[in-house]
Amino acid sequence: MNTWLLPEGINESLPDDAEKLEKLRRQLVDRYATWGYRLVMPPMVEYLESLRAGMGTQLDLQTFKITDQQNGRMMGVRADMTPQIARIDAHRISKGDSKASVNRLCYIGTVLRTRSAQQGGSRSPVQVGAEIFGHSGVESDFEIISLMLDTLHSINVTELVLDIGHVGVVNGVAEYAGLTKNQQQNYFDMLSRKSIPEINVWVKEQGFSDSVGSMLEALPLLIGSNDVIETAKERLKEAGQPVLDALQHLENITQLVSNNFPEIKVNIDLAEMRGYSYHTGIMYTVYLPGRGESIANGGRYDGIGEAFGNNRPAIGFSTDLRTLASMMKHTEKKSNAISAPFALDKDLDQLVSELRQQGECVIRQLDESSTAVPEEQRCNRKIEKQGDNWTVVAN
């Protein structure tokens, strides 16, 4: 048995990668602070009821479960930090006051999942995200999308595609059509798979009216650039005001994104079902051409705080620190450390201490017979004795 093997999808980082991840982590925390987002650090484990609050059954399936040996209650290792952030806002910061001021929170931490999001992917990503609590409207929607795009721009990622939809459109059409629970489940399943031929056959089999059938068949086709919204307003106008309001809200957001981020390609998808079970408004995902999986996603999930006794509007996004690091351009590691000799000398000790206080990396040799070459230790300078004084010189 190879005791050094890690479970499939579980990651570790060796020095070069760990330094890169930590540098990026600090960079993002500092960047979010300039936007007014305060860092929180939730625990790795919580009681199951808290971890899966408001997030649907999919998150429950992704959660590793353990028993608390102190009281026998079931706990879970967090698979997503969003419910934890909602709990912190609702119970710890806002203290149950639904009218409390707007909170901007950010977080970075490892999560653990029973299955990876894609074949061969990580089950222990380092989740990065930001949330706004206490505001519902175009302003907070646009701010969080802007921060998500700024996160990607900060690591020089370009040619991004923003895929965006609104759960209110699908909900409104389903309500207008009067779908039963079973019909809705079947339709949403086909919609999530974009199975247009299957939808067309199913609509005819159900015997819907021409008006209802036309809308149900049109929905998976309403994908494309901003002009899709105008088409949707015409095709879905009989579905009622809630659908038209959702389309108008979506149009307002996409116009703001296009005006402020003209380099971003915006793709409207009114049949998007990712996260449908818990989102309550706009939903968005960022893709990079040539990369199959998404690199960031989020949406509005008003009411998630209700499980914690404080029903507040909420919107956010998340991404994976490892994914972001993998997209950064490779930079050659510079040799900038200082090699110090093995010597029991107070003057040398003082110089080494002063250099480290100045932020220099000083690597002491451990004995006089050390075979380490300074260059192998990333040292481009060394300390040597010149006369009575210890001096830093180039190698």
Side-chain angles (χ1 to χ4, degrees):
M1 181 177 180
N2 294 324
T3 56
W4 50 267
L5 285 176
L6 291 175
E8 183 178 351
I10 302 301
N11 305 103
E12 64 182 354
S13 300
L14 300 184
D16 285 348
D17 288 338
E19 289 171 8
K20 183 177 181 181
L21 288 169
E22 176 61 14
K23 182 179 180 180
L24 179 56
R25 186 195 70 82
R26 294 176 188 174
Q27 173 186 321
L28 292 178
V29 170
D30 290 344
R31 197 175 193 92
Y32 295 162
T34 66
W35 285 61
Y37 289 76
R38 302 181 67 190
L39 179 68
V40 291
M41 296 180 177
M44 178 64 72
V45 297
E46 290 196 38
Y47 290 121
L48 276 178
E49 297 85 355
S50 177
L51 284 177
R52 60 192 179 192
M55 298 293 285
T57 57
Q58 185 59 40
L59 184 60
D60 185 51
L61 294 174
Q62 284 280 48
T63 302
F64 279 97
K65 300 169 179 64
I66 56 178
T67 302
D68 188 339
Q69 298 299 316
Q70 291 194 5
N71 56 27
R73 290 182 62 182
M74 291 300 297
M75 298 193 301
V77 181
R78 65 188 184 198
D80 189 310
M81 295 175 72
T82 302
Q84 295 185 295
I85 312 305
R87 175 186 57 75
I88 289 173
D89 167 75
H91 186 68
R92 299 299 298 275
I93 299 179
S94 299
K95 300 185 183 303
D97 181 6
S98 61
K99 296 181 180 180
S101 61
V102 171
N103 284 328
R104 291 176 171 87
L105 303 175
C106 64
Y107 58 89
I108 298 182
T110 301
V111 297
L112 182 65
R113 295 166 182 167
T114 57
R115 296 178 179 84
S116 62
Q118 60 273 339
Q119 185 69 29
S122 174
R123 293 193 294 161
S124 57
V126 182
Q127 190 176 7
V128 180
E131 317 283 336
I132 297 178
F133 297 96
H135 186 276
S136 178
V138 171
E139 297 82 4
S140 51
D141 288 354
F142 178 61
E143 179 175 311
I144 208 72
I145 291 176
S146 299
L147 183 58
M148 176 178 65
L149 296 176
D150 182 71
T151 297
L152 300 171
H153 287 161
S154 71
I155 58 171
N156 298 317
V157 177
T158 57
E159 299 182 357
L160 300 172
V161 177
L162 176 67
D163 197 90
I164 187 168
H166 196 299
V167 72
V169 176
V170 175
N171 278 343
V173 170
E175 183 175 350
Y176 173 78
L179 300 184
T180 66
K181 185 176 181 179
N182 186 57
Q183 286 177 325
Q184 181 172 297
Q185 183 177 350
N186 290 335
Y187 180 62
F188 286 179
D189 174 64
M190 292 181 289
L191 209 57
S192 67
R193 293 183 283 109
K194 301 291 192 295
S195 181
I196 296 174
E198 191 176 356
I199 289 175
N200 294 340
V201 170
W202 179 81
V203 167
K204 290 180 173 58
E205 290 176 347
Q206 300 303 308
F208 295 116
S209 67
D210 290 344
S211 173
V212 168
S214 176
M215 283 190 283
L216 293 174
E217 291 177 344
L219 203 52
L221 300 174
L222 294 172
I223 302 174
S225 55
N226 290 349
D227 57 1
V228 164
I229 295 180
E230 288 303 317
T231 303
K233 287 180 179 179
E234 179 61 31
R235 298 289 299 272
L236 306 178
K237 61 183 178 181
E238 293 185 21
Q241 196 60 42
V243 171
L244 295 178
D245 289 344
L247 289 171
Q248 186 59 54
H249 185 89
L250 191 59
E251 184 174 33
N252 293 340
I253 293 295
T254 55
Q255 285 179 348
L256 282 170
V257 172
S258 296
N259 291 341
N260 289 273
F261 300 93
E263 75 283 2
I264 300 294
K265 179 182 178 181
V266 177
N267 180 62
I268 310 295
D269 186 352
L270 298 182
E272 175 57 54
M273 301 300 291
R274 182 194 299 259
Y276 169 85
S277 62
Y278 56 87
H279 282 136
T280 60
I282 61 168
M283 305 176 290
Y284 37 85
T285 305
V286 179
Y287 294 93
L288 196 61
R291 198 179 180 109
E293 71 276 8
S294 65
I295 58 175
N297 59 77
R300 178 162 291 281
Y301 50 100
D302 295 343
I304 189 173
E306 183 176 2
F308 308 110
N310 194 359
N311 192 348
R312 277 160 61 81
I315 187 167
F317 82 91
S318 66
T319 181
D320 173 29
L321 192 70
R322 296 184 191 278
T323 298
L324 297 182
S326 71
M327 295 186 294
M328 296 175 67
K329 293 181 179 179
H330 175 73
T331 55
E332 187 176 349
K333 191 71 175 180
K334 293 182 178 179
S335 299
N336 56 4
I338 301 171
S339 174
F342 173 83
L344 301 177
D345 185 294
K346 289 185 178 180
D347 291 337
L348 175 60
D349 293 341
Q350 182 177 347
L351 176 58
V352 169
S353 179
E354 291 174 353
L355 289 169
R356 286 172 175 165
Q357 289 178 16
Q358 295 168 15
E360 294 280 7
C361 173
V362 182
I363 302 175
R364 298 279 304 250
Q365 302 304 312
L366 299 179
D367 54 59
E368 295 177 343
S369 60
S370 175
T371 58
V373 180
E375 289 78 5
E376 294 175 352
Q377 299 177 327
R378 299 182 290 115
C379 299
N380 62 354
R381 291 163 293 166
K382 62 182 178 180
I383 297 176
E384 67 177 20
K385 199 162 191 178
Q386 297 181 349
D388 294 329
N389 299 315
W390 290 101
T391 306
V392 178
V393 298
N395 278 330

